[in-house]
Amino acid sequence: KRKTIEEFYCLLRQMPSKGEGLKALNAHEQIARAKQIELPLLCSATIKNKLMGLSSVLAYAVKMEYVTREPSGRVRHHEVSTKSERQAM
């Protein structure tokens, strides 16, 4: 859902860009550590790249008919063949 993507974006804006021992922590723990010791955060270009990657995955899921709509609310386009047409080939 769009709300989930917005929450993901908000979390990305709080993620640290670097710091020792972060890889062993989950996202929420990394954010807490970043706030605690004032680590540098991800830059806007990095956040944009991560969101573009997510968008690509979602577009592929729509294309392959794993989902019928992207969570951002965009309606699926029919410029590609349907799953049933690909299986018939």
Coordinates of all heavy atoms in Angstrom, one line a residue:
K1 N 0.8 -1.2 0.0 CA 0.0 0.0 0.0 C 0.9 1.2 0.0 O 2.0 1.2 0.4 CB -0.9 0.0 1.2 CG -1.9 -1.1 1.2 CD -2.8 -1.0 2.4 CE -3.9 -2.1 2.2 NZ -4.9 -2.0 3.3
R2 N 0.3 2.3 -0.5 CA 1.0 3.6 -0.5 C 1.5 4.0 0.9 O 2.6 4.5 1.0 CB 0.1 4.7 -1.1 CG 0.9 5.9 -1.4 CD 0.0 7.0 -2.1 NE 0.8 8.1 -2.4 CZ 1.4 8.3 -3.6 NH1 1.4 7.3 -4.5 NH2 2.1 9.3 -3.8
K3 N 0.7 3.8 1.9 CA 1.1 4.1 3.3 C 2.4 3.4 3.7 O 3.3 4.0 4.3 CB 0.0 3.8 4.2 CG 0.3 4.2 5.7 CD -0.8 3.9 6.6 CE -0.5 4.3 8.0 NZ -1.5 3.9 9.0
T4 N 2.5 2.2 3.3 CA 3.7 1.4 3.6 C 5.0 2.0 2.9 O 6.0 2.1 3.5 CB 3.6 -0.1 3.1 OG1 2.4 -0.6 3.8 CG2 4.7 -0.9 3.5
I5 N 4.8 2.4 1.7 CA 5.9 3.0 0.9 C 6.3 4.4 1.6 O 7.5 4.7 1.8 CB 5.6 3.2 -0.5 CG1 5.5 1.9 -1.2 CG2 6.6 4.1 -1.2 CD1 4.9 1.9 -2.6
E6 N 5.3 5.1 2.1 CA 5.6 6.4 2.8 C 6.3 6.1 4.1 O 7.3 6.8 4.4 CB 4.3 7.1 3.0 CG 3.7 7.7 1.7 CD 2.3 8.3 1.9 OE1 1.8 8.3 3.0 OE2 1.8 8.8 0.9
E7 N 5.9 5.1 4.8 CA 6.6 4.7 6.0 C 8.1 4.3 5.7 O 9.0 4.6 6.5 CB 5.9 3.6 6.7 CG 4.6 4.0 7.3 CD 3.7 2.8 7.8 OE1 4.1 1.7 7.7 OE2 2.6 3.1 8.3
F8 N 8.3 3.5 4.7 CA 9.6 3.1 4.3 C 10.5 4.3 4.0 O 11.6 4.4 4.4 CB 9.5 2.2 3.0 CG 10.8 1.7 2.5 CD1 11.6 0.9 3.3 CD2 11.3 2.1 1.2 CE1 12.9 0.4 2.8 CE2 12.5 1.6 0.8 CZ 13.3 0.8 1.5
Y9 N 9.9 5.3 3.3 CA 10.6 6.6 2.9 C 11.0 7.3 4.2 O 12.2 7.7 4.4 CB 9.7 7.5 2.1 CG 10.3 8.8 1.8 CD1 11.4 9.0 1.0 CD2 9.8 9.9 2.5 CE1 11.9 10.3 0.8 CE2 10.3 11.2 2.3 CZ 11.4 11.3 1.4 OH 11.9 12.6 1.2
C10 N 10.1 7.4 5.2 CA 10.4 8.0 6.5 C 11.5 7.3 7.2 O 12.4 8.0 7.8 CB 9.2 8.1 7.3 SG 7.9 9.3 6.7
L11 N 11.5 6.0 7.2 CA 12.6 5.2 7.8 C 13.9 5.5 7.1 O 15.0 5.6 7.8 CB 12.3 3.7 7.8 CG 11.2 3.3 8.8 CD1 10.9 1.8 8.6 CD2 11.6 3.6 10.2
L12 N 13.9 5.5 5.8 CA 15.2 5.7 5.0 C 15.8 7.1 5.4 O 17.0 7.2 5.5 CB 14.9 5.7 3.5 CG 14.8 4.3 2.9 CD1 14.4 4.4 1.4 CD2 16.1 3.5 3.1
R13 N 14.9 8.1 5.6 CA 15.4 9.4 5.9 C 16.1 9.4 7.3 O 16.9 10.4 7.6 CB 14.3 10.4 5.9 CG 13.8 10.6 4.5 CD 12.8 11.7 4.4 NE 13.4 13.0 4.9 CZ 12.7 14.0 5.3 NH1 11.4 14.0 5.3 NH2 13.3 15.1 5.8
Q14 N 15.9 8.4 8.1 CA 16.5 8.4 9.5 C 17.7 7.4 9.5 O 18.3 7.3 10.6 CB 15.4 7.9 10.5 CG 14.2 8.8 10.6 CD 13.2 8.3 11.5 OE1 13.4 8.1 12.7 NE2 12.0 8.0 10.9
M15 N 17.9 6.7 8.4 CA 19.0 5.6 8.5 C 20.3 6.3 8.4 O 20.6 7.2 7.7 CB 18.8 4.7 7.2 CG 17.6 3.8 7.3 SD 17.7 2.5 8.6 CE 19.0 1.5 7.9
P16 N 21.3 5.7 9.2 CA 22.7 6.2 9.2 C 23.4 5.7 7.9 O 23.1 4.7 7.3 CB 23.3 5.6 10.4 CG 22.5 4.3 10.6 CD 21.1 4.6 10.2
S17 N 24.3 6.6 7.4 CA 25.0 6.2 6.2 C 26.2 5.4 6.5 O 26.7 4.6 5.7 CB 25.4 7.5 5.4 OG 26.2 8.3 6.2
K18 N 26.8 5.5 7.7 CA 27.9 4.8 8.1 C 28.0 4.8 9.6 O 27.5 5.6 10.3 CB 29.2 5.3 7.5 CG 29.5 6.7 7.8 CD 30.7 7.2 7.0 CE 30.8 8.7 7.0 NZ 31.9 9.2 6.2
G19 N 28.8 3.8 10.1 CA 29.0 3.7 11.5 C 29.4 2.2 11.9 O 29.0 1.3 11.2
E20 N 30.3 2.1 12.9 CA 30.7 0.7 13.2 C 29.6 -0.1 13.9 O 28.8 0.4 14.7 CB 31.9 0.9 14.2 CG 33.2 1.3 13.5 CD 34.4 1.2 14.4 OE1 34.4 0.2 15.2 OE2 35.3 2.0 14.3
G21 N 29.6 -1.4 13.5 CA 28.6 -2.3 14.1 C 27.2 -2.2 13.7 O 26.3 -2.9 14.2
L22 N 26.9 -1.4 12.7 CA 25.6 -1.2 12.2 C 25.0 -2.4 11.5 O 23.8 -2.7 11.5 CB 25.4 0.0 11.3 CG 25.6 1.4 12.0 CD1 25.6 2.5 11.0 CD2 24.6 1.6 13.1
K23 N 25.9 -3.1 10.8 CA 25.4 -4.2 9.9 C 24.8 -5.4 10.8 O 24.0 -6.1 10.3 CB 26.5 -4.8 9.1 CG 26.9 -3.8 8.0 CD 27.9 -4.4 7.1 CE 28.3 -3.3 6.1 NZ 28.9 -3.7 4.9
A24 N 25.1 -5.4 12.0 CA 24.6 -6.5 12.9 C 23.2 -6.1 13.5 O 22.6 -6.9 14.1 CB 25.6 -6.8 14.1
L25 N 22.8 -4.8 13.2 CA 21.6 -4.3 13.8 C 20.5 -4.3 12.7 O 20.7 -4.2 11.6 CB 21.8 -2.9 14.3 CG 22.9 -2.7 15.3 CD1 23.0 -1.2 15.6 CD2 22.6 -3.5 16.6
N26 N 19.2 -4.4 13.2 CA 18.1 -4.3 12.3 C 17.9 -2.8 12.0 O 18.5 -1.9 12.6 CB 16.8 -5.0 12.7 CG 16.2 -4.3 14.0 OD1 16.2 -3.1 14.2 ND2 15.7 -5.2 14.9
A27 N 17.0 -2.4 11.1 CA 16.8 -1.0 10.7 C 16.4 -0.1 11.9 O 16.9 1.0 12.0 CB 15.7 -0.9 9.6
H28 N 15.5 -0.6 12.7 CA 15.1 0.2 13.8 C 16.2 0.5 14.8 O 16.3 1.6 15.4 CB 13.8 -0.4 14.5 CG 12.6 -0.4 13.6 ND1 11.9 0.8 13.4 CD2 12.0 -1.3 12.9 CE1 10.9 0.5 12.6 NE2 10.9 -0.8 12.3
E29 N 17.0 -0.6 15.1 CA 18.1 -0.4 16.0 C 19.2 0.5 15.4 O 19.8 1.3 16.1 CB 18.8 -1.8 16.2 CG 17.9 -2.7 17.1 CD 18.3 -4.2 17.1 OE1 19.1 -4.6 16.2 OE2 17.9 -4.9 18.0
Q30 N 19.4 0.5 14.0 CA 20.3 1.4 13.4 C 19.9 2.8 13.5 O 20.7 3.7 13.8 CB 20.4 1.0 11.9 CG 21.2 -0.2 11.6 CD 21.4 -0.5 10.2 OE1 21.4 0.5 9.4 NE2 21.5 -1.7 9.8
I31 N 18.6 3.0 13.4 CA 18.0 4.4 13.5 C 18.2 4.9 15.0 O 18.6 6.0 15.2 CB 16.5 4.4 13.1 CG1 16.4 4.2 11.6 CG2 15.9 5.7 13.5 CD1 15.0 4.0 11.1
A32 N 18.0 4.0 15.9 CA 18.1 4.4 17.3 C 19.6 4.7 17.6 O 19.9 5.8 18.3 CB 17.7 3.3 18.3
R33 N 20.5 3.9 17.1 CA 22.0 4.2 17.3 C 22.4 5.5 16.6 O 23.1 6.3 17.2 CB 22.8 3.0 16.7 CG 24.3 3.2 16.7 CD 24.9 2.9 18.0 NE 24.6 1.6 18.6 CZ 25.3 0.5 18.4 NH1 26.3 0.5 17.6 NH2 24.9 -0.6 19.1
A34 N 21.8 5.7 15.4 CA 22.2 7.0 14.7 C 21.8 8.2 15.5 O 22.5 9.2 15.6 CB 21.5 7.0 13.3
K35 N 20.6 8.1 16.1 CA 20.1 9.3 16.9 C 20.9 9.4 18.2 O 21.3 10.5 18.6 CB 18.6 9.1 17.3 CG 17.7 9.3 16.1 CD 16.3 9.0 16.5 CE 15.3 9.1 15.3 NZ 13.9 8.8 15.7
Q36 N 21.3 8.3 18.8 CA 22.0 8.2 20.1 C 23.4 8.9 19.9 O 23.8 9.7 20.8 CB 22.1 6.8 20.6 CG 22.9 6.6 21.8 CD 23.0 5.1 22.2 OE1 22.8 4.3 21.4 NE2 23.3 4.9 23.4
I37 N 24.1 8.5 18.9 CA 25.5 9.0 18.8 C 25.7 9.9 17.6 O 26.8 10.2 17.2 CB 26.5 7.8 18.7 CG1 26.2 6.9 17.5 CG2 26.5 7.0 20.0 CD1 27.3 5.8 17.4
E38 N 24.6 10.4 17.1 CA 24.6 11.5 16.0 C 25.4 11.1 14.8 O 26.3 11.8 14.4 CB 25.0 12.8 16.6 CG 24.1 13.3 17.6 CD 24.5 14.7 18.2 OE1 25.4 15.3 17.6 OE2 23.9 15.1 19.2
L39 N 25.1 9.9 14.2 CA 25.7 9.4 13.0 C 25.2 10.2 11.8 O 24.1 10.7 11.8 CB 25.5 7.9 12.8 CG 26.1 7.0 13.8 CD1 25.6 5.6 13.6 CD2 27.6 7.1 13.8
P40 N 26.0 10.3 10.7 CA 25.5 10.9 9.5 C 24.4 10.1 8.9 O 24.5 8.8 8.9 CB 26.8 11.0 8.6 CG 27.7 10.0 9.1 CD 27.4 9.9 10.6
L41 N 23.4 10.7 8.3 CA 22.3 10.0 7.7 C 22.5 9.8 6.2 O 23.3 10.5 5.6 CB 21.0 10.7 8.0 CG 20.7 11.0 9.5 CD1 19.4 11.7 9.6 CD2 20.7 9.7 10.3
L42 N 21.7 9.0 5.6 CA 21.7 8.8 4.1 C 21.4 10.1 3.4 O 20.5 10.8 3.9 CB 20.7 7.7 3.7 CG 20.9 6.3 4.2 CD1 19.7 5.4 3.8 CD2 22.2 5.7 3.7
C43 N 22.1 10.3 2.3 CA 21.8 11.6 1.6 C 20.6 11.4 0.7 O 20.1 10.2 0.5 CB 23.0 12.0 0.7 SG 23.4 10.8 -0.6
S44 N 20.0 12.4 0.2 CA 18.8 12.4 -0.6 C 19.0 11.6 -1.9 O 18.1 10.9 -2.3 CB 18.3 13.8 -0.9 OG 19.2 14.5 -1.6
A45 N 20.2 11.6 -2.4 CA 20.4 10.9 -3.7 C 20.4 9.4 -3.4 O 19.9 8.6 -4.2 CB 21.8 11.2 -4.3
T46 N 20.9 8.9 -2.3 CA 20.9 7.5 -1.9 C 19.5 7.1 -1.6 O 19.1 6.0 -2.1 CB 21.8 7.3 -0.6 OG1 23.1 7.7 -0.9 CG2 21.8 5.8 -0.2
I47 N 18.7 7.9 -0.9 CA 17.3 7.5 -0.7 C 16.6 7.4 -2.0 O 15.8 6.5 -2.2 CB 16.7 8.6 0.2 CG1 17.3 8.5 1.6 CG2 15.2 8.4 0.3 CD1 17.0 9.7 2.5
K48 N 16.8 8.3 -2.9 CA 16.1 8.3 -4.2 C 16.5 7.0 -5.0 O 15.6 6.4 -5.5 CB 16.5 9.5 -5.0 CG 15.9 9.6 -6.4 CD 16.4 10.8 -7.2 CE 15.8 10.7 -8.6 NZ 16.3 11.9 -9.4
N49 N 17.8 6.6 -4.9 CA 18.2 5.4 -5.6 C 17.5 4.2 -5.0 O 17.2 3.3 -5.7 CB 19.7 5.3 -5.5 CG 20.4 6.2 -6.4 OD1 19.9 6.7 -7.4 ND2 21.7 6.5 -6.1
K50 N 17.4 4.1 -3.7 CA 16.8 3.0 -3.0 C 15.3 2.9 -3.4 O 14.8 1.8 -3.7 CB 17.0 3.0 -1.5 CG 18.4 2.8 -1.1 CD 18.6 2.6 0.3 CE 20.0 2.4 0.7 NZ 20.6 1.2 0.2
L51 N 14.6 4.1 -3.5 CA 13.2 4.1 -3.9 C 13.0 3.7 -5.3 O 12.1 3.1 -5.7 CB 12.6 5.5 -3.6 CG 12.4 5.8 -2.1 CD1 12.0 7.2 -1.9 CD2 11.5 4.8 -1.4
M52 N 14.0 4.1 -6.2 CA 13.9 3.7 -7.6 C 14.1 2.2 -7.7 O 13.4 1.6 -8.6 CB 15.0 4.5 -8.4 CG 14.6 5.9 -8.6 SD 15.8 7.0 -9.5 CE 16.8 5.9 -10.5
G53 N 15.0 1.6 -6.9 CA 15.1 0.2 -6.9 C 13.9 -0.5 -6.5 O 13.4 -1.5 -7.2
L54 N 13.2 0.0 -5.5 CA 11.9 -0.6 -5.1 C 10.9 -0.5 -6.1 O 10.1 -1.4 -6.4 CB 11.5 0.1 -3.8 CG 10.1 -0.3 -3.2 CD1 10.1 -1.8 -2.9 CD2 9.7 0.5 -2.0
S55 N 10.9 0.7 -6.8 CA 9.9 0.9 -7.9 C 10.1 -0.1 -9.0 O 9.2 -0.6 -9.6 CB 10.0 2.3 -8.4 OG 9.2 2.6 -9.5
S56 N 11.4 -0.4 -9.3 CA 11.7 -1.3 -10.4 C 11.2 -2.7 -10.0 O 10.6 -3.4 -10.9 CB 13.2 -1.4 -10.6 OG 13.6 -0.2 -11.2
V57 N 11.4 -3.1 -8.8 CA 10.9 -4.4 -8.3 C 9.4 -4.5 -8.4 O 8.9 -5.5 -8.9 CB 11.4 -4.7 -6.9 CG1 10.7 -5.9 -6.3 CG2 12.9 -4.9 -6.9
L58 N 8.7 -3.5 -8.0 CA 7.3 -3.4 -8.0 C 6.8 -3.4 -9.5 O 5.8 -4.1 -9.8 CB 6.7 -2.2 -7.3 CG 7.0 -2.3 -5.8 CD1 6.5 -1.0 -5.1 CD2 6.3 -3.4 -5.1
A59 N 7.4 -2.7 -10.3 CA 7.0 -2.7 -11.8 C 7.2 -4.1 -12.4 O 6.3 -4.5 -13.1 CB 7.8 -1.7 -12.5
Y60 N 8.3 -4.8 -12.0 CA 8.5 -6.1 -12.5 C 7.4 -7.1 -12.0 O 6.9 -7.9 -12.7 CB 9.9 -6.6 -12.1 CG 10.2 -8.0 -12.6 CD1 10.5 -8.3 -13.9 CD2 10.1 -9.1 -11.7 CE1 10.8 -9.5 -14.4 CE2 10.3 -10.4 -12.2 CZ 10.7 -10.6 -13.5 OH 10.9 -11.9 -13.9
A61 N 7.0 -6.9 -10.7 CA 6.0 -7.7 -10.1 C 4.7 -7.5 -10.8 O 3.9 -8.5 -11.1 CB 5.8 -7.4 -8.6
V62 N 4.4 -6.3 -11.2 CA 3.1 -6.0 -12.0 C 3.2 -6.7 -13.4 O 2.3 -7.4 -13.8 CB 2.9 -4.5 -12.1 CG1 1.8 -4.2 -13.1 CG2 2.6 -3.9 -10.8
K63 N 4.4 -6.5 -14.0 CA 4.6 -7.1 -15.4 C 4.4 -8.6 -15.4 O 3.8 -9.1 -16.3 CB 6.0 -6.7 -15.8 CG 6.3 -7.2 -17.2 CD 7.7 -6.7 -17.6 CE 8.2 -7.3 -18.9 NZ 9.5 -6.9 -19.2
M64 N 4.9 -9.2 -14.3 CA 4.9 -10.7 -14.3 C 3.6 -11.2 -13.6 O 3.3 -12.4 -13.4 CB 6.0 -11.2 -13.4 CG 7.4 -10.9 -14.0 SD 7.6 -11.5 -15.7 CE 7.6 -13.2 -15.5
E65 N 2.7 -10.2 -13.3 CA 1.4 -10.5 -12.7 C 1.4 -11.2 -11.3 O 0.6 -11.9 -11.0 CB 0.5 -11.3 -13.7 CG 0.2 -10.5 -14.9 CD -0.8 -11.3 -15.8 OE1 -1.1 -12.4 -15.6 OE2 -1.2 -10.6 -16.8
Y66 N 2.5 -10.9 -10.6 CA 2.6 -11.3 -9.2 C 1.6 -10.4 -8.4 O 1.1 -10.9 -7.4 CB 4.0 -11.2 -8.7 CG 5.0 -12.1 -9.4 CD1 6.2 -11.7 -9.8 CD2 4.6 -13.5 -9.6 CE1 7.1 -12.5 -10.5 CE2 5.5 -14.3 -10.3 CZ 6.7 -13.8 -10.7 OH 7.6 -14.6 -11.3
V67 N 1.5 -9.2 -8.8 CA 0.5 -8.3 -8.2 C -0.2 -7.6 -9.3 O 0.3 -7.5 -10.4 CB 1.2 -7.2 -7.3 CG1 1.9 -7.8 -6.1 CG2 2.2 -6.4 -8.1
T68 N -1.4 -7.1 -9.0 CA -2.2 -6.4 -10.1 C -2.0 -4.9 -10.2 O -2.3 -4.3 -11.2 CB -3.7 -6.7 -10.0 OG1 -4.1 -6.3 -8.7 CG2 -3.9 -8.2 -10.1
R69 N -1.5 -4.3 -9.1 CA -1.3 -2.9 -9.0 C 0.0 -2.6 -8.2 O 0.3 -3.4 -7.3 CB -2.4 -2.2 -8.3 CG -3.7 -2.3 -9.0 CD -4.8 -1.6 -8.1 NE -4.3 -0.4 -7.5 CZ -5.0 0.4 -6.7 NH1 -6.3 0.1 -6.5 NH2 -4.5 1.4 -6.2
E70 N 0.6 -1.5 -8.5 CA 1.7 -1.1 -7.7 C 1.1 -0.5 -6.4 O 0.1 0.2 -6.5 CB 2.6 0.0 -8.4 CG 3.4 -0.6 -9.5 CD 4.4 0.4 -10.1 OE1 4.9 1.1 -9.3 OE2 4.5 0.4 -11.3
P71 N 1.8 -0.6 -5.3 CA 1.2 -0.1 -4.1 C 1.1 1.4 -4.1 O 0.4 2.0 -3.3 CB 2.3 -0.5 -3.0 CG 2.9 -1.7 -3.6 CD 2.9 -1.5 -5.1
S72 N 1.9 2.1 -5.0 CA 1.8 3.5 -5.1 C 0.4 4.0 -5.6 O 0.1 5.2 -5.6 CB 2.9 4.1 -5.9 OG 2.8 3.6 -7.3
G73 N -0.4 3.0 -6.1 CA -1.7 3.3 -6.5 C -1.8 3.5 -8.1 O -2.9 3.7 -8.6
R74 N -0.7 3.3 -8.8 CA -0.8 3.4 -10.2 C -1.4 2.2 -10.8 O -1.2 1.1 -10.3 CB 0.6 3.6 -10.8 CG 1.2 5.0 -10.6 CD 2.5 5.1 -11.2 NE 3.5 4.5 -10.3 CZ 4.7 4.4 -10.5 NH1 5.2 4.7 -11.7 NH2 5.6 3.9 -9.6
V75 N -2.3 2.4 -11.7 CA -3.0 1.2 -12.3 C -2.1 0.6 -13.3 O -1.3 1.2 -14.0 CB -4.3 1.7 -13.0 CG1 -5.0 0.6 -13.7 CG2 -5.2 2.4 -12.0
R76 N -2.2 -0.7 -13.4 CA -1.3 -1.5 -14.2 C -1.6 -1.2 -15.7 O -2.7 -1.1 -16.1 CB -1.6 -3.0 -13.9 CG -1.0 -3.9 -14.8 CD -1.6 -5.3 -14.4 NE -1.9 -5.9 -15.7 CZ -1.9 -7.1 -15.9 NH1 -1.9 -7.9 -14.9 NH2 -2.1 -7.6 -17.1
H77 N -0.5 -1.2 -16.5 CA -0.7 -0.9 -17.9 C -0.6 -2.3 -18.6 O 0.0 -3.2 -18.2 CB 0.5 0.0 -18.4 CG 0.4 1.3 -17.8 ND1 -0.5 2.3 -18.1 CD2 1.2 1.9 -16.8 CE1 -0.3 3.3 -17.4 NE2 0.7 3.1 -16.6
H78 N -1.3 -2.4 -19.8 CA -1.3 -3.6 -20.5 C -0.4 -3.6 -21.7 O -0.7 -4.3 -22.7 CB -2.8 -3.9 -21.0 CG -3.7 -4.2 -19.8 ND1 -3.7 -5.5 -19.3 CD2 -4.6 -3.5 -19.2 CE1 -4.6 -5.5 -18.3 NE2 -5.1 -4.3 -18.2
E79 N 0.7 -3.0 -21.7 CA 1.6 -3.0 -22.8 C 2.4 -4.3 -23.0 O 3.0 -4.5 -24.0 CB 2.6 -1.8 -22.8 CG 3.6 -1.8 -21.7 CD 3.3 -1.0 -20.5 OE1 2.3 -0.4 -20.5 OE2 4.1 -1.1 -19.6
V80 N 2.4 -5.1 -21.9 CA 3.1 -6.4 -22.0 C 2.1 -7.5 -22.1 O 0.9 -7.3 -21.7 CB 4.0 -6.6 -20.7 CG1 5.1 -5.5 -20.7 CG2 3.2 -6.6 -19.5
S81 N 2.5 -8.6 -22.5 CA 1.6 -9.8 -22.6 C 1.2 -10.2 -21.2 O 1.9 -10.0 -20.2 CB 2.3 -10.9 -23.3 OG 3.4 -11.4 -22.6
T82 N 0.1 -10.9 -21.1 CA -0.4 -11.3 -19.8 C 0.3 -12.6 -19.5 O 0.9 -13.3 -20.3 CB -1.9 -11.6 -19.8 OG1 -2.2 -12.6 -20.7 CG2 -2.7 -10.3 -20.2
K83 N 0.2 -13.0 -18.2 CA 0.9 -14.2 -17.7 C 0.4 -15.4 -18.5 O 1.1 -16.3 -18.9 CB 0.7 -14.4 -16.2 CG 1.4 -15.5 -15.6 CD 1.2 -15.6 -14.1 CE 1.9 -16.7 -13.5 NZ 1.7 -16.7 -12.0
S84 N -0.9 -15.5 -18.7 CA -1.5 -16.6 -19.4 C -1.0 -16.7 -20.9 O -0.8 -17.8 -21.4 CB -3.0 -16.6 -19.4 OG -3.5 -15.4 -19.9
E85 N -0.8 -15.5 -21.5 CA -0.3 -15.5 -22.9 C 1.1 -16.0 -22.9 O 1.5 -16.7 -23.8 CB -0.4 -14.1 -23.5 CG -1.8 -13.6 -23.8 CD -1.9 -12.2 -24.2 OE1 -0.9 -11.4 -23.9 OE2 -2.9 -11.8 -24.8
R86 N 1.9 -15.6 -21.9 CA 3.3 -16.1 -21.9 C 3.4 -17.6 -21.6 O 4.2 -18.3 -22.2 CB 4.1 -15.4 -20.8 CG 4.4 -13.9 -21.1 CD 5.4 -13.4 -20.1 NE 4.9 -13.5 -18.7 CZ 4.1 -12.6 -18.1 NH1 3.7 -11.6 -18.7 NH2 3.8 -12.8 -16.8
Q87 N 2.5 -18.1 -20.8 CA 2.5 -19.6 -20.5 C 2.1 -20.4 -21.8 O 2.5 -21.5 -21.9 CB 1.6 -19.9 -19.3 CG 2.2 -19.4 -18.1 CD 1.3 -19.6 -16.9 OE1 0.1 -19.7 -17.0 NE2 1.9 -19.5 -15.7
A88 N 1.2 -19.8 -22.6 CA 0.7 -20.5 -23.8 C 1.8 -20.6 -24.9 O 1.7 -21.4 -25.8 CB -0.5 -19.8 -24.3
M89 N 2.8 -19.8 -24.8 CA 3.9 -19.8 -25.8 C 4.8 -21.0 -25.7 O 5.0 -21.6 -24.8 CB 4.7 -18.5 -25.7 CG 4.0 -17.3 -26.1 SD 5.1 -15.9 -25.9 CE 4.1 -14.6 -26.6

